[in-house]
Amino acid sequence: PILSSFTHPPLVPRAAAKHLIERYYHQLTEGCGNEACTNEACGSSPGFQRMDNNAAAIKALELYKNNAKLCDPHPSKKGASSAFPENSAKGAHNFSACSNGKMNHKDLQPTREDFRDLNYLTEEKVYEILSLCSETEDYSPLIRVIGRVFSSAESLVQSFHKAKQHTKEELKSLQAKDEDKDEDEKETASGSSTAMEVEPEASASSADGPSHGENNVQKLGPVEVSVDIEAVRRVYDRLLSNEKIEAAFLNALVYLSPNVECDLTYHNVYAADPNYLNVFIIVMENSNLHSPEYLEIALPQFCKAMSKLPLPALAKLARLWSQYSADQIRRLVETFQQLITYTVISNEFSSDNLVNEDDGVVAATKCLKIVYYANVLGGDLDMGHNEEEDDEPIPESSELTLQELLGEERRNKKGPRVDPLETELGIRTSDCRKPLIPFEEFVNEPLNDVLEMDKDYTFFKVETESKFSFMTCPFILNAVTKNLGLYYDNRIRMYSERRITALYSLVQGQQLNPYLRLKVRRDHIIDDALVRLEMIAMENPADLKKQLYVEFEGEQGVDEGGVSKEFFQLVVEEIFNRDIGMFTYDESTKLFWFNPSSFENEGQFTLIGIVLGLAIYNNCILDVHFPMVVYRKLMGKKGTFRDLADSHPVLYQSLKDLLEYEGNVEEDMMITFQISQTDLFGNPLMYDLKEGGDKIPVTNENRKDFVALYAEYMLNKSVEKQFKAFRRGFHMVTNESPLKYLFRPEEIELLICGSRNLDFQALEESTEYDGGYNKDSCIIKDFWETVHSFGQEQKRLFLQFTTGTDRAPVGGLGKLKMIIAKNGPDSDRLPTSHTCFNVLLLPEYSTKEKLRERLLKAITYAKGFGML
């Protein structure tokens, strides 16, 4: 910009002025090469003070105006060409001039100076220039070439192309021509490589990867691109060890990014040339991108440019990166995470200065999404085995017409939100059994700490282009933050239902009923809850989305959350009672599974589905113990053989042994495609996995088929009726919620059941005291010393006794508001608890030993002995 705006004296032609200024500039930045130079304005002078490029450009102008002395290049600098980058609308171009004004040295080698005509790079060309520079120990020619090529999108698109693969016919004809032209080619190879190396561009259209929305991802072949990625990696490995050369990459990226962003925003370059993606592939191979010097300007600008890529380009990039190794994926993740973390800790974000409005953080998060889906695609995929949708849709609320009249159409009528990139790739997060690197590595804790979730949720619901919501990139959020987003969604939905009900009562004169009221008898809790909830589900499912308000018949008490929690605890305890027989219990895993021969009707299973949904909706943790496959099935995935390891471990091991058996399966095991199960009364039930299964022996050839069918029967077919009713009940409450969009199956389990990780130190810090106790009371100190000395099982019993569940809420025990209240002076009474309010009533025992003995007795025998 300085050079282009300079007005030179009228007597000096413009081109000559520019040439002179360039010589001054390079004299300042690189010197003449003579270590004994006496010119104070020369970089080789012993007393010269080094300056940055901008300062050198200004000084060069000053020297030109004053007609200052110009050094002749020293012999060690001969052949060095010069370039000063300048931005233009179409890309980064360069002024070039020879640093030797006289050009009369006899030993000048043209090959060392003639790189100014080089507009793209190959691996061989880089090594050739590097070799020449190493001989003279002057790397400025290479620095200028890198500056020129890496600051121009057009140059990068043409650089590092793979050698073109010829067809057999082409090879035959080339062989015939080669015999005649062999000698000529040897002479011209070094000077006429351009035409040969640009050839791969002709195959751009064929290299454009799979069609949009390709569903059968696991059958996709390698994504073909014209750039030779391995060559790019080798080049970076050779060059990045040199600090001066590394600076050239950094400076070039600063010039490159705004022009690329402009190209993508206004010129639709990717549609015209899919090879434009090479720019991003090449730059992202730079292993130093996460270094501090890139984080200030270069990387944020480049992320902004990348985020402007059209959807097909993002999908192709994700497919390409999915072929990378776990270490390479981790490097990409760390690059974007470093930028986000650096920006977050360098700024003071607040409700007045939202992180959502920081372009660098937003762009890096969007780029991280590409890597996230690459991580999913490259992982262990299970693309088939999807649960069928419910035959009959969940009925819409009768309030719909009124809502439309009020301008409040029901949200998400088309179902839950789906990420466009997910649709383009034909993949879901739940399709991935095991990603290349753990999903947890995509979570950015500093970002979660500064995110104003109420504002972010608003942006998520409004869906405007101008406001970005991190809820659209849920992989970067931790479970606590996502749970807060879900909480806002639930509360706003509850408020909306209350408002609609109030308007309805005004318009139609109906009785005002803004809550989901359940009046139940303790000794008939399942029957009462089932009848009431079934009526609501049939008449108006939208009522399930109102705030729950429970009342126990014959008892006084206002439900501020505690009564609802007790209701959930009692319902779960009753439904999972083994005497009822709705679920089977595995003693080894301590998990429940649907009983295929249960006598209970589907309504009972629908009820437990509704209860799970209501627990999430009303922010309650339930003491339920399902294998992970239940949550996978709720998210739309069928159970498969590998799920048996969690739900039916003994059967899993037997089938695994069958698959690994090295002998003759048919002769040694003598099993067929008919299996037997036992009903509630222990009677055997036979089931054919194939038609006429009792006559089809299992052999070495068909044993995989047998195992797959066995797992399909155990996890899907045998419990199809029960699970469909259960899922239907769950979806009655959560069908309009962003639950599926935000959470993975393991996080759904965390929402419903809480975490198995128990940090009692965090619980101690968050506990409050009442009735005369405080944290410094003698008994409180003894109490915590006692609890911390408990084993893991005893800690779980204590938690169960105090809160009604042996799990921690989302975010850990620090989020649990426990109260320890004084319950009289020293006595032989046991400690008691109000689990609905997480209150522990503790007498002031006289000794620590008595406290320990009484507390252990209370938590160990809390059930079934009437002590409470």
Side-chain angles (χ1 to χ4, degrees):
I2 293 167
L3 295 186
S4 58
S5 62
F6 176 73
T7 48
H8 49 80
L11 297 175
V12 184
R14 188 181 183 91
K18 189 169 78 172
H19 176 74
L20 282 170
I21 294 167
E22 283 178 347
R23 286 189 62 193
Y24 281 119
Y25 173 78
H26 288 292
Q27 178 176 290
L28 290 165
T29 55
E30 296 165 22
C32 64
N34 179 6
E35 293 179 7
C37 181
T38 56
N39 186 353
E40 291 179 1
C42 176
S44 296
S45 171
F48 183 76
Q49 294 285 322
R50 291 282 163 196
M51 57 184 75
D52 62 29
N53 292 349
N54 286 336
I58 294 165
K59 183 72 175 173
L61 279 171
E62 194 180 304
L63 293 172
Y64 168 74
K65 285 179 183 175
N66 298 333
N67 199 19
K69 179 186 174 185
L70 261 174
C71 298
D72 286 331
H74 195 263
S76 68
K77 296 282 283 186
K78 65 190 173 193
S81 64
S82 63
F84 190 82
E86 176 190 86
N87 276 344
S88 71
K90 291 186 179 179
H93 297 284
N94 302 77
F95 296 106
S96 299
C98 178
S99 61
N100 185 348
K102 298 180 181 178
M103 296 288 287
N104 61 358
H105 290 283
K106 290 179 182 178
D107 56 350
L108 189 66
Q109 297 179 25
T111 53
R112 293 192 187 180
E113 66 164 272
D114 207 20
F115 300 129
R116 64 173 173 267
D117 296 327
L118 191 64
N119 293 318
Y120 69 96
L121 283 171
T122 63
E123 184 179 15
E124 294 73 22
K125 184 60 70 175
V126 170
Y127 295 157
E128 179 191 327
I129 302 171
L130 185 62
S131 174
L132 291 169
C133 292
S134 299
E135 286 175 18
T136 61
E137 296 184 359
D138 172 23
Y139 291 93
S140 55
L142 180 56
I143 289 169
R144 285 193 289 274
V145 169
I146 287 170
R148 185 164 63 249
V149 172
F150 276 77
S151 63
S152 163
E154 291 86 347
S155 298
L156 276 181
V157 166
Q158 295 177 44
S159 295
F160 304 107
H161 276 203
K162 293 175 184 172
K164 186 179 177 184
Q165 299 295 314
H166 293 289
T167 62
K168 288 181 181 178
E169 290 74 15
E170 285 176 324
L171 286 170
K172 283 179 184 175
S173 92
L174 283 169
Q175 201 171 356
K177 289 178 184 175
D178 283 350
E179 288 170 3
D180 300 328
K181 297 186 178 180
D182 194 43
E183 290 303 314
D184 294 341
E185 284 187 7
K186 280 181 184 174
E187 292 171 17
T188 59
S190 61
S192 61
S193 60
T194 308
M196 286 163 47
E197 288 168 19
V198 181
E199 248 183 300
E201 217 167 346
S203 62
S205 59
S206 64
D208 192 25
S211 61
H212 304 164
E214 183 72 69
N215 281 317
N216 204 7
V217 179
Q218 74 267 46
K219 290 187 180 177
L220 284 177
V223 177
E224 288 300 327
V225 289
S226 57
V227 66
D228 187 340
I229 297 171
E230 288 302 325
V232 173
R233 286 173 184 164
R234 288 191 294 269
V235 166
Y236 275 126
D237 284 345
R238 288 281 294 275
L239 299 185
L240 287 176
S241 55
N242 185 310
E243 283 184 19
K244 287 184 180 177
I245 298 175
E246 186 192 1
F249 285 116
L250 173 63
N251 294 331
L253 189 57
V254 173
Y255 281 106
L256 172 74
S257 301
N259 296 311
V260 170
E261 186 181 351
C262 179
D263 283 348
L264 289 167
T265 307
Y266 302 109
H267 301 133
N268 201 14
V269 285
Y270 179 75
D273 181 12
N275 277 333
Y276 199 84
L277 201 61
N278 291 6
V279 172
F280 299 94
I281 297 167
I282 292 170
V283 171
M284 286 309 300
E285 286 304 320
N286 183 340
S287 58
N288 283 6
L289 283 179
H290 63 279
S291 303
E293 54 269 24
Y294 281 89
L295 298 178
E296 194 70 47
I297 299 170
L299 190 56
Q301 284 187 347
F302 185 70
C303 288
K304 280 172 70 178
M306 191 188 292
S307 68
K308 302 291 184 186
L309 280 167
L311 198 55
L314 296 174
K316 185 173 179 181
L317 201 51
R319 290 192 191 103
L320 174 70
W321 284 346
S322 73
Q323 295 163 200
Y324 284 17
S325 70
D327 285 342
Q328 288 160 343
I329 289 286
R330 186 172 278 112
R331 179 183 61 77
L332 293 172
V333 171
E334 286 171 356
T335 298
F336 298 124
Q337 290 283 38
Q338 196 87 338
L339 173 56
I340 295 166
T341 302
Y342 171 80
T343 311
V344 166
I345 62 177
S346 303
N347 293 276
E348 292 186 6
F349 291 113
S350 64
S351 55
D352 298 322
N353 177 29
L354 295 174
V355 69
N356 306 64
E357 292 168 358
D358 187 284
D359 291 342
V361 173
V362 169
T365 305
K366 289 178 178 177
C367 295
L368 192 60
K369 183 190 283 187
I370 310 170
V371 190
Y372 175 78
Y373 281 110
N375 186 47
V376 169
L377 279 169
D380 186 357
L381 290 180
D382 174 16
M383 294 293 292
H385 308 109
N386 295 321
E387 287 278 2
E388 294 173 11
E389 293 297 320
D390 290 324
D391 298 332
E392 45 182 309
I394 293 162
E396 282 288 345
S397 164
S398 57
E399 297 163 7
L400 192 59
T401 311
L402 178 64
Q403 283 183 307
E404 287 174 338
L405 285 170
L406 295 167
E408 284 203 14
E409 287 194 48
R410 184 162 296 284
R411 293 168 295 274
N412 296 331
K413 278 172 68 177
K414 294 178 182 175
R417 186 194 302 233
V418 180
D419 191 280
L421 184 54
E422 195 170 274
T423 307
E424 183 78 12
L425 291 166
I427 187 84
R428 295 180 300 175
T429 300
S430 57
D431 292 331
C432 185
R433 289 282 187 168
K434 186 182 178 186
L436 283 172
I437 64 172
F439 287 125
E440 288 73 21
E441 295 193 27
F442 287 84
V443 175
N444 188 291
E445 292 296 347
L447 173 67
N448 280 264
D449 291 342
V450 300
L451 188 59
E452 299 286 338
M453 204 57 199
D454 53 344
K455 304 278 199 322
D456 193 84
Y457 173 76
T458 307
F459 301 153
F460 178 72
K461 296 305 288 184
V462 173
E463 293 187 64
T464 60
E465 286 292 322
S466 59
K467 298 290 184 182
F468 175 80
S469 167
F470 288 94
M471 283 177 72
T472 60
C473 297
F475 54 83
I476 203 168
L477 305 177
N478 60 33
V480 177
T481 307
K482 286 192 276 194
N483 192 36
L484 191 56
L486 188 65
Y487 173 80
Y488 285 127
D489 187 79
N490 295 342
R491 292 291 147 180
I492 287 170
R493 208 177 296 278
M494 288 174 185
Y495 170 77
S496 176
E497 295 298 342
R498 277 211 298 273
R499 184 164 169 261
I500 292 296
T501 305
L503 290 165
Y504 232 86
S505 66
L506 289 172
V507 174
Q508 296 188 353
Q510 290 183 356
Q511 184 182 352
L512 184 63
N513 188 14
Y515 297 97
L516 170 59
R517 287 185 179 274
L518 291 181
K519 190 171 184 177
V520 293
R521 295 167 293 174
R522 280 187 182 272
D523 50 353
H524 295 85
I525 191 164
I526 294 295
D527 294 336
D528 291 355
L530 181 61
V531 169
R532 181 79 182 106
L533 290 171
E534 270 189 329
M535 283 178 61
I536 292 167
M538 285 166 56
E539 291 175 5
N540 194 2
D543 279 0
L544 293 171
K545 298 176 179 71
K546 292 177 179 176
Q547 187 171 345
L548 182 64
Y549 191 95
V550 177
E551 185 182 339
F552 286 104
E553 196 172 276
E555 298 180 23
Q556 291 183 339
V558 178
D559 187 2
E560 293 181 354
V563 182
S564 295
K565 183 178 175 184
E566 187 178 7
F567 164 76
F568 282 126
Q569 287 170 359
L570 292 172
V571 168
V572 166
E573 200 172 303
E574 186 73 22
I575 277 184
F576 287 94
N577 187 331
R578 281 176 266 180
D579 294 337
I580 290 180
M582 285 179 68
F583 296 92
T584 57
Y585 183 71
D586 189 312
E587 290 289 352
S588 61
T589 61
K590 293 184 168 46
L591 297 174
F592 288 93
W593 182 247
F594 297 88
N595 188 346
S597 51
S598 170
F599 291 136
E600 300 298 330
N601 61 33
E602 291 178 30
Q604 300 272 34
F605 289 99
T606 303
L607 171 63
I608 191 65
I610 290 174
V611 166
L612 257 66
L614 286 174
I616 290 177
Y617 200 60
N618 289 273
N619 221 28
C620 276
I621 289 178
L622 298 183
D623 187 28
V624 298
H625 301 274
F626 282 131
M628 184 55 64
V629 64
V630 170
Y631 303 103
R632 281 181 57 77
K633 282 166 74 70
L634 279 176
M635 299 291 270
K637 301 301 293 184
K638 282 187 176 181
T640 62
F641 166 63
R642 60 194 352 181
D643 291 307
L644 288 172
D646 190 22
S647 62
H648 301 75
V650 176
L651 174 62
Y652 172 79
Q653 191 56 50
S654 300
L655 294 175
K656 189 167 178 281
D657 291 343
L658 170 65
L659 289 174
E660 294 170 354
Y661 187 67
E662 293 179 0
N664 188 312
V665 171
E666 184 177 1
E667 291 179 7
D668 298 349
M669 297 193 177
M670 294 186 292
I671 50 177
T672 66
F673 274 76
Q674 186 180 70
I675 60 173
S676 70
Q677 298 288 302
T678 53
D679 64 14
L680 280 172
F681 305 106
N683 301 320
L685 299 171
M686 310 308 289
Y687 179 79
D688 286 349
L689 297 176
K690 286 184 176 181
E691 195 173 336
D694 59 328
K695 297 182 177 61
I696 306 173
V698 177
T699 66
N700 291 54
E701 289 71 36
N702 66 15
R703 58 183 167 181
K704 282 187 181 177
D705 197 20
F706 171 79
V707 167
L709 288 170
Y710 204 144
E712 167 69 14
Y713 173 75
M714 291 298 294
L715 297 176
N716 304 311
K717 283 189 176 177
S718 67
V719 296
E720 185 174 17
K721 184 179 69 172
Q722 293 87 338
F723 182 78
K724 272 193 172 179
F726 170 76
R727 185 182 62 191
R728 182 172 169 74
F730 185 76
H731 285 168
M732 279 180 183
V733 187
T734 62
N735 65 321
E736 293 179 348
S737 163
L739 190 71
K740 259 190 176 183
Y741 183 84
L742 293 175
F743 296 92
R744 303 189 306 274
E746 56 270 28
E747 292 175 319
I748 299 284
E749 183 193 27
L750 186 65
L751 281 181
I752 296 171
C753 313
S755 169
R756 289 189 177 93
N757 297 325
L758 304 179
D759 180 1
F760 271 75
Q761 198 63 48
L763 178 63
E764 180 181 352
E765 289 168 11
S766 66
T767 296
E768 297 173 2
Y769 304 95
D770 195 13
Y773 286 156
N774 60 56
K775 66 176 182 177
D776 297 319
S777 300
C778 226
I779 186 164
I780 295 301
K781 289 181 178 177
D782 288 346
F783 169 81
W784 284 114
E785 283 177 21
T786 302
V787 170
H788 289 313
S789 71
F790 284 170
Q792 203 63 23
E793 190 56 38
Q794 289 173 326
K795 285 180 177 177
R796 292 194 183 284
L797 286 171
F798 169 77
L799 212 53
Q800 179 85 44
F801 173 77
T802 316
T803 68
T805 175
D806 64 355
R807 304 272 190 100
V810 176
L813 287 178
K815 300 288 181 183
L816 188 71
K817 296 301 175 194
M818 190 173 85
I819 298 171
I820 300 178
K822 187 173 180 178
N823 192 24
D826 180 31
S827 71
D828 289 335
R829 293 169 62 196
L830 294 173
T832 54
S833 66
H834 295 304
T835 55
C836 48
F837 290 110
N838 305 330
V839 174
L840 176 68
L841 300 172
L842 188 69
E844 194 170 6
Y845 297 116
S846 55
T847 66
K848 186 177 178 181
E849 291 71 26
K850 187 175 181 180
L851 166 66
R852 182 183 179 87
E853 183 268 330
R854 295 278 86 190
L855 185 59
L856 275 175
K857 196 164 194 174
I859 65 175
T860 308
Y861 303 110
K863 287 190 178 180
F865 287 85
M867 287 189 174
L868 305 183

